[in-house]
Structures are given as C-alpha cells and as structure tokens.
Amino acid sequence: MRLPLHTLRPAVMLFALALLSACASGPRNNISLIPGDQVAAQTSKEGLFTQPVKWEHKKPGCKGECPTIKLDSIVFPGNKKLTELVDHALATMTGISTKGVQPYDSVAGYQDYFWKTAAPRDSTLLSAKTRYRNKNLTVVELNTWQYLTGAAHGISATQFLNWDNDHHIVLALEQILQPGKLPDYVAALKAAHQKWLAGNADARHDPQTYNRLWPFQASENFAFTDQGLVIKYDTYQIAPYYFGQPELLLPYSELRDILQPQYLPAQG
C-alpha cells in the first residue's frame, strides 16, 4: 500500500524508477541498520566515503547581470550508481519552470538548458550532503533553490535518498514498514505534526484558519537518523514561506510496532 499520489511531495515522483528497483529486493532480516550505541548522536561518521564537488558558473559570455548556477554536492568514489543518481536527482528537481519531462537528465544537461532559457537574474543552487551514515546505510539530503527573475523570492525543494550500502538500492517507505502499518505511520506523523503546531505561534493564535490554509499532509520524504525518522517538508507545504522547510521527528521509541525490526536501533 502506498500513500495516495495527491499526498506525496512532487519530488518523490522523480525517484519512481529508483524506488521500483528498491522494491525488487526485500529488506534484510539479520542486521540492524541503526547501531544501538549511536542513538545519542545526531550523525554517524561511518559509511560510504565521499568527496566534495563545488563550483559556481556564470553564463558564458554574459556581461552585467547574468544567470548563475552554484553546485555544492558530493560524489561517492567507487560507487558510480549512487554518484550518478545524486547527479540525476538534483537535475530533475529543477523542473519548476518546465511542462512535462525535462529535456535533460544530468546537472551538465541542466546547465546547457539553463544557459539557453534563463533570464538575466535567474539563479540556481544545487546541493547534496550526507545527513546520516553508518556501515549499512547512507542517507543523502538533496536540496535545490531557484530564483526566477521578477519573483518575490526563491523556490526550494528537498529530497532524501536512503541508500542501502550492501544492496545498492534506495529504500522505499513500504520496505521499512511492517506489513499493513502504513496507516500507523501516517498516524504517528500526524501526532508529530500536532506537537509541532503546539509550538507554532501562528497556529495557536487562529488554529481554524491555520489548519484550513496549511492542513496536515502525509509524506514519504523520510530520512534515517540516530534519533528516529525525520520527515522534511518543502516551503508552503504545511506552513507559510517564512517557516522555511519544517522537519518532523518520529522517534524510534514510537516506531517499535511500525518499522521492520532490522531498521530499529540495536538493543544493547
């Protein structure tokens, strides 16, 4: 069972092929992805080796105000598949100004397209970083920010990739949940959202209006951390623009009967 498409973030659909390949292999049942002695830390330093790749380019031959692209990403030496997936995902997350399928599938292809179509003040930032790592799992956080000439502000988007280091696949939500537990996951997420609203001054001031304008949305955009699953939302999804990109935390203690046992912290 999957969440209805209208509840999903648009960026999730960009990884449909990756998720389908992930579903081809079942979850492991003989290890824990989250070492029990690391739960107190926010980020583990173990995992796949990474190297940074950074550059900032201005449209060739342009004088004065010029379109720009900045890349602050990572590559995985020895892991071509994940390196190419990160590159492809960042490129396809830029499709805010096109209709249908983008005419590019890589950052290099996007750059060529951008120089041909960008207005003078258009700007794009593409970034990728590891959010969590251990020997079995590498979580990559992908971020894009785009400013279109004349707009009031830029548009941002975030997507997580939960990469199984051994099987070389992206883990889909249905793989990490116990059978039939999707409704329980959504309920736990909704409860976390209610806690988040309790600390939101705007929501407390006029809850009826706030819930009408910014209703709860379920999401499959999850990331493993030492503390639990983090669910991250884009701007405008569950809050006004000035709230940025809200994150909701589902602690592992609340997921004992929801997650597959091998994706819970090891018990010492």
Side-chain angles (χ1 to χ4, degrees):
M1 177 181 178
R2 295 182 64 83
L3 294 172
L5 293 184
H6 71 273
T7 69
L8 303 184
R9 302 171 63 259
V12 172
M13 300 307 296
L14 303 177
F15 300 104
L17 292 178
L19 294 179
L20 286 174
S21 67
C23 293
S25 299
R28 289 168 290 183
N29 57 16
N30 60 344
I31 63 169
S32 171
L33 286 177
I34 312 299
D37 59 357
Q38 295 175 1
V39 175
Q42 176 62 30
T43 302
S44 170
K45 296 182 183 295
E46 296 182 4
L48 298 181
F49 176 65
T50 66
Q51 289 182 332
V53 52
K54 297 183 180 182
W55 49 255
E56 185 171 0
H57 295 164
K58 183 174 73 172
K59 182 177 180 179
C62 179
K63 305 296 183 181
E65 285 191 324
C66 300
T68 59
I69 301 177
K70 183 177 181 180
L71 180 74
D72 185 359
S73 187
I74 51 177
V75 296
F76 296 86
N79 193 326
K80 182 179 179 182
K81 184 177 180 181
L82 182 53
T83 296
E84 291 181 345
L85 178 58
V86 168
D87 180 83
H88 172 73
L90 285 175
T92 54
M93 287 172 67
T94 62
I96 61 173
S97 60
T98 61
K99 296 181 179 180
V101 179
Q102 297 94 328
Y104 50 83
D105 61 4
S106 66
V107 170
Y110 170 70
Q111 181 173 237
D112 291 341
Y113 175 83
F114 185 73
W115 297 150
K116 296 175 184 177
T117 61
R121 296 178 59 200
D122 285 6
S123 180
T124 298
L125 170 63
L126 309 172
S127 68
K129 62 182 180 181
T130 53
R131 179 69 182 257
Y132 174 83
R133 288 184 289 168
N134 66 35
K135 65 179 181 179
N136 304 306
L137 185 70
T138 299
V139 178
V140 182
E141 181 175 337
L142 307 169
N143 294 281
T144 62
W145 180 87
Q146 296 173 267
Y147 176 77
L148 303 180
T149 301
H153 50 68
I155 300 174
S156 58
T158 298
Q159 180 65 45
F160 292 122
L161 296 177
N162 296 271
W163 179 260
D164 184 315
N165 296 340
D166 295 330
H167 290 86
H168 307 287
I169 57 173
V170 175
L171 294 170
L173 180 64
E174 65 250 29
Q175 281 187 290
I176 69 169
L177 299 181
Q178 296 182 31
K181 291 296 184 175
L182 179 58
D184 299 86
Y185 163 81
V186 174
L189 184 58
K190 191 169 185 177
H193 178 253
Q194 289 298 314
K195 292 179 182 178
W196 181 78
L197 288 178
N200 182 326
D202 288 354
R204 293 199 310 268
H205 175 70
D206 188 353
Q208 184 175 0
T209 299
Y210 193 94
N211 290 332
R212 177 174 57 84
L213 294 175
W214 313 107
F216 167 75
Q217 294 187 44
S219 173
E220 293 188 10
N221 191 33
F222 72 94
F224 282 102
T225 71
D226 284 315
Q227 298 175 329
L229 292 185
V230 165
I231 315 300
K232 191 163 187 173
Y233 291 87
D234 287 340
T235 52
Y236 289 126
Q237 279 197 288
I238 61 172
Y241 179 82
Y242 57 81
F243 273 85
Q245 296 176 289
E247 292 187 355
L248 303 180
L249 174 67
L250 304 183
Y252 289 119
S253 60
E254 299 177 8
L255 297 172
R256 289 290 170 189
D257 297 321
I258 298 175
L259 286 184
Q260 296 273 8
Q262 63 268 29
Y263 297 113
L264 290 166
Q267 300 296 301

